[in-house]
């Protein structure tokens, strides 16, 4: 299978802001085992806590939204560097910063890593664009919640959805912010790409690595995005 895996930055830092070394090692080991089984992977890593800290400090100091976005982009790339270190020989050694290079690198048999790309979106949009470009069989989104909920998961009675149509997902997420560092789950750019190319997508809790294995085995986990309302 050809898969794009997005690893939420929040999965890689503990509550004190320390890098979760064990978590990175676990991800690297799982990714290596998928490669050994013959799968091909592009991995996009989010910015997580460092991105938020830098973005809010820069904003307070007078940076505009594009400048804040660039900070997030670079911090996500730094997180990708950490996974690159853990993957060693298995990784394409440069964090991709241009989609032309992605097309070339993906054919070299290495795990290709990305962080952020352009202002005005989140790394979920990068993952969606990468999945579209390489015609991935699956876009796997490892995040820190169990999936998509029918409303704010903190509200009483909120229910996790096993499946969500892309149109419904757009409605559920329509109240989300679009400021640097303030995206949750999918941003509008990511939704647009997943919708137009009907990318098979699963959003699941990446705190448990078994979920990743299940996702690779096409077992039901998290929330699957469906595309029933469009020809
Ligand atoms: P993330 O995608 O990491 O945002 O990018 P996030 O919502 O914090 O996701 P996780 O939980 O870490 O995975 C961090 C910030 O970097 C900028 C945005 O400001 C985003 O909020 N960014 C990222 C871009 O502007 N463009 C990109 O392509 C990626």
């Amino acid at each position: 299978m050809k898969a794009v895996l997005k690893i939420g930055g929040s999965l890689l830092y503990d509550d004190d802001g320390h890098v979760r070394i064990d978590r990175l090692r676990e991800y690297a080991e799982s990714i290596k085992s998928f490669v050994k089984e013959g799968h091909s992977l592009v991995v996009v890593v989010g910015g997580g806590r460092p991105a938020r800290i830098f973005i809010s400090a820069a904003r307070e100091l007078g940076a505009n939204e594009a400048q804040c976005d660039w900070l997030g982009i670079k911090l996500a790339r730094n997180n990708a560097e950490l996974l690159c270190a853990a993957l060693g020989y298995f990784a394409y050694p440069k964090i991709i910063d241009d989609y032309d290079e992605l097309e070339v690198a993906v054919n070299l048999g290495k795990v290709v890593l990305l962080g952020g790309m352009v202002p005005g979106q989140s790394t979920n949009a990068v993952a969606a664009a990468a999945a579209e470009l390489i015609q991935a069989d699956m876009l796997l989104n490892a995040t820190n919640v169990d999936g998509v909920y029918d409303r704010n998961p903190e509200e009483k009675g909120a229910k996790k959805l096993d499946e969500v149509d892309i149109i419904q997902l757009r409605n559920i997420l329509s109240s989300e912010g679009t400021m640097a560092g303030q995206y949750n789950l999918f941003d509008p750019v990511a939704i647009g790409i997943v919708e137009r190319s009907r990318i098979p997508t699963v959003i699941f809790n990446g705190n448990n690595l078994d979920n990743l294995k299940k996702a690779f085995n096409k077992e039901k986990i998290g929330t699957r995005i469906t595309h029933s309302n469009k020809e």
Side-chain angles (χ1 to χ4, degrees):
M1 168 160 92
K2 194 154 61 169
V4 172
L5 168 65
K6 155 76 202 296
I7 303 177
S10 56
L11 297 171
L12 305 181
Y13 290 86
D14 66 19
D15 292 343
D16 298 323
H18 297 126
V19 178
R20 290 189 147 145
I21 303 284
D22 289 348
R23 175 65 57 73
L24 277 155
R25 279 208 188 101
E26 266 185 329
Y27 266 98
E29 290 314 308
S30 278
I31 290 167
K32 285 181 198 173
S33 68
F34 297 136
V35 172
K36 285 178 193 158
E37 285 166 19
H39 298 293
S40 152
L41 266 102
V42 169
V43 183
V44 181
V45 186
R49 189 166 164 155
R52 282 191 191 92
I53 290 173
F54 271 78
I55 287 170
S56 65
R59 191 179 281 127
E60 220 173 302
L61 291 165
N64 63 40
E65 284 307 299
Q67 290 166 330
C68 289
D69 276 343
W70 270 113
L71 271 175
I73 288 165
K74 289 184 266 191
L75 285 152
R77 287 178 184 167
N78 285 348
N79 288 334
E81 292 280 10
L82 294 179
L83 185 60
C84 187
L87 283 166
Y89 168 83
F90 282 75
Y92 182 79
K94 177 172 171 277
I95 308 306
I96 297 288
D97 55 14
D98 131 13
Y99 287 108
D100 276 346
E101 191 180 359
L102 171 61
E103 279 197 282
V104 176
V106 88
N107 291 313
L108 300 178
K110 301 272 184 185
V111 178
V112 182
L113 296 149
L114 298 90
M117 290 298 259
V118 292
Q121 59 175 41
S122 78
T123 48
N124 285 319
V126 176
E132 185 176 58
L133 190 65
I134 69 161
Q135 297 183 47
D137 302 306
M138 287 287 280
L139 170 52
L140 305 173
N141 196 287
T143 181
N144 62 359
V145 289
D146 288 336
V148 179
Y149 286 73
D150 59 352
R151 67 194 93 154
N152 182 342
E154 278 153 27
E155 273 179 39
K156 209 173 156 215
K159 201 168 140 276
K160 197 219 47 148
L161 304 168
D162 292 339
E163 288 188 355
V164 64
D165 190 82
I166 190 76
I167 311 283
Q168 192 189 355
L169 180 64
R170 192 190 284 283
N171 290 336
I172 292 171
L173 300 180
S174 62
S175 59
E176 281 203 348
T178 52
M179 303 280 275
Q182 290 172 9
Y183 295 104
N184 283 313
L185 283 176
F186 270 39
D187 62 278
V189 178
I191 291 183
I193 296 172
V194 167
E195 183 180 7
R196 74 178 183 181
S197 289
R198 302 170 68 88
I199 299 170
T201 302
V202 181
I203 299 170
F204 61 95
N205 195 326
N207 282 302
N208 180 353
L209 269 279
D210 282 344
N211 283 338
L212 180 58
K213 289 187 188 117
K214 286 182 182 162
F216 256 88
N217 292 331
K218 303 212 169 141
E219 287 176 47
K220 277 195 172 173
I221 50 152
T223 302
R224 192 168 67 91
I225 298 178
T226 59
H227 300 273
S228 54
N229 289 345
K230 204 176 152 202
E231 284 306 304

